[in-house]
Amino acid sequence: MIRRWDYDEAEQRLDVTFVSGKRYAYHQVPERIAAGMRKAISKGSYFNRRIRDHFAFTQLTS
């Protein structure tokens, strides 16, 4: 489900690239949520439970 992800602590932005190639930036994501993502065995499950539908996002291009 998730190919890669990066977290910008200063901007509290989580950038997620899905296996489909689509990329999204999730805004105002607290560091504790990003830390949970780092520790999660299943990134996709964690994303679905704790990030998707909880934070505003924008789709990124290229």
Side-chain angles (χ1 to χ4, degrees):
M1 173 178 180
I2 294 175
R3 180 177 293 157
R4 73 175 262 133
W5 63 278
D6 295 300
Y7 181 68
D8 183 323
E9 188 173 353
E11 293 192 25
Q12 289 193 315
R13 189 184 77 219
L14 181 71
D15 293 343
V16 179
T17 302
F18 294 93
V19 294
S20 67
K22 291 185 179 183
R23 297 175 53 231
Y24 295 89
Y26 291 84
H27 307 284
Q28 296 181 319
V29 177
E31 199 284 325
R32 65 180 171 76
I33 298 293
M37 182 89 159
R38 272 193 285 288
K39 294 176 186 175
I41 293 169
S42 172
K43 306 301 187 216
S45 292
Y46 185 85
F47 173 83
N48 285 333
R49 280 192 331 273
R50 304 287 293 184
I51 298 166
R52 189 175 128 214
D53 300 329
H54 294 279
F55 297 96
F57 66 89
T58 52
Q59 186 168 4
L60 302 172
T61 56
S62 348

